[in-house]
């Protein structure tokens, strides 16, 4: 009912009373006002009837929706069954918000961004059933975007080799989403579903920057030429400076219009390789996990010649991987291995962080992605040679040198652990035997192993080959992860799990000591080819296992 109607009726009555004594003009005005009131009442009644019709059509449509994993019914339940997208202003905001998904590495066209206002107009010239169908389709587009932001667009088990966990559970509040939609803040709804970590935000900001870069006017460094180093001069040095400026080393050039096309300034680009340029090269090398020697060799040249489009694709792939990661419990200890970054990160319950260099599996024997929890340590371990290493590495050496086993303190045992004489085994076709190396200085596992349940027999361990940690590219193992300073890590794991054992006492004890952790500590091994470092700078890593292309194609 029109709330102004009583007041309007009173005014008309007063006008009629005055008209009796003062003439007809007022009667005419009152009649006209009465006619307008009647029309307004009819319009309000029509709109109320229209809204009710759309609501009824919406309820009918929701009752028939089947075969969707999207929480459509829950969304409308939080809206008390009201339509969400019958306002042109709100639908325009939906179009705008969906366009921002480009910075998340998602394609706005997959959510029909930019089409919803036109579709709204078309639906409003049709009946209530069509308008309800439009409303549900617009909601499904938003909910699909929320799903992809929150859990990833892809199922990692289908595109990432060896992924051992289901997709993360939905982690946003539908009440929060509904409230954001009701107030027309669609971008807030998307923000509620996005991963909240600083790493994701850094990747997203980097993608926005790289999408805007234009390198078409900057020459490439010629491949196959001699390395460039401090003291060199020539045109190639000017090209080097421009390539470095493209990737963020702006100090490498003055105000050169070919690098800064929006600045109307020109200056000669130096052709001399000085100490400042060497420092810029080193910073670039560190951000690309290359040997930071300030020398532009083949690997550095290849990284400098990358295109912005290729880097943007790399960021898209790793934004998707970031959406697969389970959110960390800020109150508990957690351990994770950054496979492609060759680093291990341990966060203690206090928030203190401990980092170490690691050696990971080679491209021929990849370190798998694992989600598990540390269960126990092995101190002064013996080493039972894994079947793959026995078959591919050991047997060829044993066949060539009968003394190989004795020289490396390796014994032969049967399947129940009993020793077998090496000369009694047919090494051309050995069967029913294993090789085991006792604890000691030459044991490949070193003195400490950190173990966690998994299907690939992967663990973290010490190594006598400490020099490998000095290399920049460390994909060198047979799959397990060698950790620099693992004894220190082991002591922290003991303390943070509630154990009273001390590593100093354990290391002086016997071989193959098993030490259980009273409380298990989560551990994850992940493969990320672009990720922020401790300074917040996004590092680009080599795709050592050639996994990016498959994810990118699926996106």
């Amino acid at each position: 009912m029109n709330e102004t109607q009583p007041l309007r009726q009173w005014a008309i009555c007063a006008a009629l009373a005055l008209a009796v004594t003062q003439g007809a003009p007022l009667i005419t005005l009152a009649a006209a006002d009465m006619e307008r009131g009647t029309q307004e009442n009819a319009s309000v009644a029509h709109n109320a009837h229209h809204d009710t019709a759309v609501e009824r059509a919406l309820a009918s449509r929701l009752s028939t929706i089947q075969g969707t994993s999207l929480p459509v019914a829950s969304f409308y339940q939080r809206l008390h069954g009201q339509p969400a997208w019958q306002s042109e202003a709100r639908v325009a905001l939906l179009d705008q918000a969906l366009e921002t998904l480009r910075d998340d590495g998602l394609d706005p066209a997959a959510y029909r961004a930019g089409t919803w206002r036109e579709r709204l107009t078309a639906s409003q010239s049709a009946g209530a059933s069509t308008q309800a169908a439009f409303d549900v389709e617009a909601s499904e587009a938003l909910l699909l975007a929320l799903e992809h932001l929150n859990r990833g667009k892809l199922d990692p088990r289908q595109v990432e080799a060896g992924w051992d966990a289901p997709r993360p559970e939905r982690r946003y509040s539908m009440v929060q989403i509904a409230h954001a939609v009701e107030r027309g803040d669609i971008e807030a709804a998307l923000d509620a579903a996005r991963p909240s970590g600083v790493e994701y935000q850094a990747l997203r900001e980097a993608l926005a920057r790289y999408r805007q870069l234009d390198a078409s006017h900057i020459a490439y460094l010629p491949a196959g030429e001699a390395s460039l180093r401090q003291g060199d001069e020539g045109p190639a040095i000017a090209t080097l400076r421009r390539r470095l400026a493209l990737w963020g080393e702006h100090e490498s050039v003055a105000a050169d219009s070919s690098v800064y096309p929006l600045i109307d300034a020109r200056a000669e680009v130096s052709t001399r390789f000085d100490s400042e340029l060497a420092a810029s090269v080193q910073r670039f090398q560190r951000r690309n996990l290359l040997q930071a020697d300030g020398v532009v060799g083949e690997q550095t040249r290849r990284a400098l010649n990358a295109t912005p489009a290729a880097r943007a694709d790399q960021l898209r792939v790793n934004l998707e991987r970031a959406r697969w990661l389970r959110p960390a419990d800020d109150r508990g200890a957690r351990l994770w291995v950054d496979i492609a970054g060759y680093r291990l990160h341990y966060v203690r319950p206090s928030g203190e962080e401990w980092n170490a260099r690691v050696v990971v599996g080679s491209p021929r024997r990849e370190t798998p992605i694992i989600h598990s929890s540390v269960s126990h340590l092995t101190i002064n371990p013996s080493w039972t040679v894994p079947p793959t290493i026995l078959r591919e590495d050991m047997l060829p050496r044993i066949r060539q040198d009968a003394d190989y086993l004795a020289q490396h303190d390796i014994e032969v045992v049967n399947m129940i652990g009993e020793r077998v004489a090496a000369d009694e085994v047919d090494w051309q076709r050995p069967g029913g035997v294993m090789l085991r190396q006792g604890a000691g200085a030459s044991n490949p596992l070193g003195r400490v192993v950190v173990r966690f349940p998994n299907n690939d027999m992967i663990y973290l361990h010490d190594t006598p080959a400490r020099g490998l940690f000095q290399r920049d590219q460390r994909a060198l193992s047979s799959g397990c992860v060698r950790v620099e300073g693992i004894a220190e890590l082991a002591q922290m794991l003991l303390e943070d799990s509630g154990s009273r054992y001390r590593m100093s006492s354990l290391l002086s004890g016997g071989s193959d000591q098993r030490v259980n952790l009273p409380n298990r500590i989560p551990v994850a091994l992940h493969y990320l080819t672009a990720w922020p470092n401790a300074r917040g700078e996004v590092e680009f890593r080599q795709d050592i296992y050639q996994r990016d292309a498959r994810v990118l194609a699926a996106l």
Side-chain angles (χ1 to χ4, degrees):
M1 179 177 178
N2 190 335
E3 294 178 359
T4 63
Q5 192 63 22
L7 179 60
R8 189 184 305 277
Q9 290 175 344
W10 173 86
I12 292 172
C13 291
L16 288 171
L18 288 170
V20 171
T21 58
Q22 298 185 14
L26 283 178
I27 297 177
T28 304
L29 290 173
D33 195 26
M34 182 178 294
E35 182 178 355
R36 281 196 301 271
T38 302
Q39 291 173 347
E40 289 175 6
N41 286 341
S43 175
V44 170
H46 172 75
N47 289 336
H49 174 73
H50 175 266
D51 290 345
T52 302
V54 174
E55 289 172 26
R56 285 200 302 266
L58 179 61
S60 175
R61 186 169 185 85
L62 291 174
S63 68
T64 62
I65 290 179
Q66 295 179 351
T68 179
S69 61
L70 297 174
V72 178
S74 176
F75 174 67
Y76 280 104
Q77 183 181 14
R78 298 302 185 277
L79 294 175
H80 307 291
Q82 297 294 310
W85 310 106
Q86 300 302 311
S87 157
E88 183 177 354
R90 187 181 292 178
V91 171
L93 292 170
L94 174 65
D95 268 332
Q96 293 173 17
L98 292 176
E99 288 289 352
T100 68
L101 296 173
R102 202 179 307 277
D103 289 338
D104 295 276
L106 299 170
D107 182 3
Y111 316 95
R112 290 175 281 184
T115 71
W116 293 107
R117 289 180 70 184
E118 182 179 345
R119 292 163 64 85
L120 170 66
T121 301
S123 72
Q124 287 185 329
S125 63
S129 178
T130 301
Q131 292 170 49
F134 166 82
D135 210 274
V136 171
E137 289 171 6
S139 296
E140 287 175 336
L142 174 62
L143 293 171
L144 183 62
L146 297 176
E147 187 84 352
H148 290 173
L149 281 176
N150 197 243
R151 305 174 63 203
K153 179 179 180 180
L154 310 174
D155 185 339
R157 292 170 294 186
Q158 297 178 1
V159 294
E160 194 79 301
W163 189 276
D164 69 340
R167 291 178 71 190
E169 295 295 323
R170 193 174 290 125
R171 302 184 298 275
Y172 59 85
S173 163
M174 189 56 71
V175 172
Q176 188 176 359
I177 300 302
H179 287 170
V181 170
E182 284 179 321
R183 65 177 183 269
D185 194 350
I186 315 305
E187 289 194 19
L190 297 181
D191 283 338
R194 279 189 181 100
S196 58
V198 294
E199 297 88 355
Y200 186 87
Q201 186 59 32
L203 291 174
R204 192 169 182 268
E205 291 172 358
L207 178 58
R209 291 196 305 272
Y210 278 86
R211 283 178 43 235
Q212 295 175 3
L213 290 181
D214 178 13
S216 60
H217 56 285
I218 302 177
Y220 292 101
L221 287 167
E225 294 192 354
S227 297
L228 302 175
R229 62 188 72 238
Q230 189 171 338
D232 289 349
E233 292 194 38
I237 305 304
T239 301
L240 169 62
R241 289 180 178 276
R242 292 189 176 100
R243 298 301 300 182
L244 282 168
L246 174 70
W247 301 124
E249 293 296 330
H250 302 302
E251 299 84 356
S252 304
V253 297
D256 175 25
S257 61
S258 69
V259 176
Y260 305 108
L262 300 181
I263 300 177
D264 186 19
R266 296 179 181 274
E268 195 72 24
V269 178
S270 172
T271 59
R272 184 171 181 275
F273 199 135
D274 54 22
S275 59
E276 289 80 7
L277 182 59
S280 292
V281 171
Q282 287 178 313
R283 287 192 295 270
F284 175 82
Q285 289 170 324
R286 280 191 288 269
R287 290 201 309 274
N288 288 269
L289 262 63
L290 301 170
Q291 183 178 358
D293 57 5
V295 176
V296 182
E298 192 57 37
Q299 287 189 332
T300 300
R301 193 186 304 265
R302 192 179 305 119
L304 284 164
N305 282 340
T307 65
R311 290 306 191 205
D313 283 344
Q314 196 169 350
L315 288 164
R316 288 185 64 208
V317 166
N318 288 281
L319 278 162
E320 176 68 3
R321 288 181 175 135
R323 292 188 284 265
W324 298 338
L325 302 183
R326 298 172 181 172
D329 181 357
D330 293 335
R331 298 166 297 176
R334 55 193 183 276
L335 175 68
W336 77 281
V337 176
D338 180 1
I339 298 170
Y342 307 120
R343 302 286 292 183
L344 177 146
H345 306 277
Y346 178 56
V347 181
R348 308 192 71 178
S350 63
E352 175 190 354
E353 296 187 20
W354 186 87
N355 305 296
R357 293 178 289 192
V358 298
V359 174
V360 301
S362 69
R364 197 164 64 94
R365 295 176 184 166
E366 301 178 6
T367 297
I369 294 171
I370 293 174
H371 304 85
S372 187
S373 55
V374 178
S375 55
H376 64 282
L377 313 177
T378 305
I379 310 300
N380 297 326
S382 59
W383 179 50
T384 300
V385 179
T388 301
I389 296 178
L390 172 60
R391 181 177 62 254
E392 297 181 5
D393 299 342
M394 292 285 195
L395 283 179
R397 296 170 185 170
I398 295 170
R399 289 163 183 163
Q400 290 178 355
D401 183 359
D403 296 327
Y404 176 84
L405 295 176
Q407 291 169 357
H408 291 83
D409 191 27
I410 297 174
E411 63 182 10
V412 184
V413 297
N414 60 25
M415 303 310 289
I416 60 173
E418 297 172 337
R419 294 192 64 174
V420 176
D423 56 9
E424 295 178 1
V425 177
D426 178 2
W427 292 110
Q428 297 304 316
R429 286 182 292 183
V433 296
M434 300 181 293
L435 301 183
R436 185 170 61 198
Q437 186 174 23
S442 63
N443 187 299
L445 303 185
R447 304 192 68 187
V448 181
V449 178
V450 175
R451 300 188 186 274
F452 40 90
N454 63 90
N455 295 327
D456 298 284
M457 296 189 294
I458 296 297
Y459 41 79
L460 315 180
H461 67 93
D462 190 13
T463 176
R466 307 281 167 81
L468 296 179
F469 295 118
Q470 304 304 316
R471 299 190 185 185
D472 295 285
Q473 306 298 317
R474 297 191 292 275
L476 305 165
S477 82
S478 293
C480 289
V481 180
R482 308 173 193 177
V483 182
E484 185 177 33
I486 195 170
E488 183 180 355
L489 172 64
Q491 181 59 54
M492 289 186 288
L493 293 174
L494 290 171
E495 293 174 3
D496 296 342
S497 66
S499 174
R500 297 182 179 181
Y501 282 104
R502 303 294 301 176
M503 284 300 298
S504 55
S505 300
L506 292 169
L507 289 170
S508 62
S511 63
D512 290 315
Q513 301 172 71
R514 174 177 174 136
V515 182
N516 293 327
L517 269 59
N519 296 287
R520 294 189 174 193
I521 292 177
V523 59
L525 282 63
H526 282 295
Y527 186 79
L528 300 158
T529 58
W531 199 250
N533 59 26
R535 296 180 297 279
E537 303 167 329
V538 173
E539 296 176 342
F540 292 99
R541 295 89 175 270
Q542 289 187 12
D543 183 12
I544 52 178
Y545 298 156
Q546 300 299 304
R547 295 180 181 177
D548 283 5
R550 186 176 181 187
V551 178
L552 181 63
L555 281 173

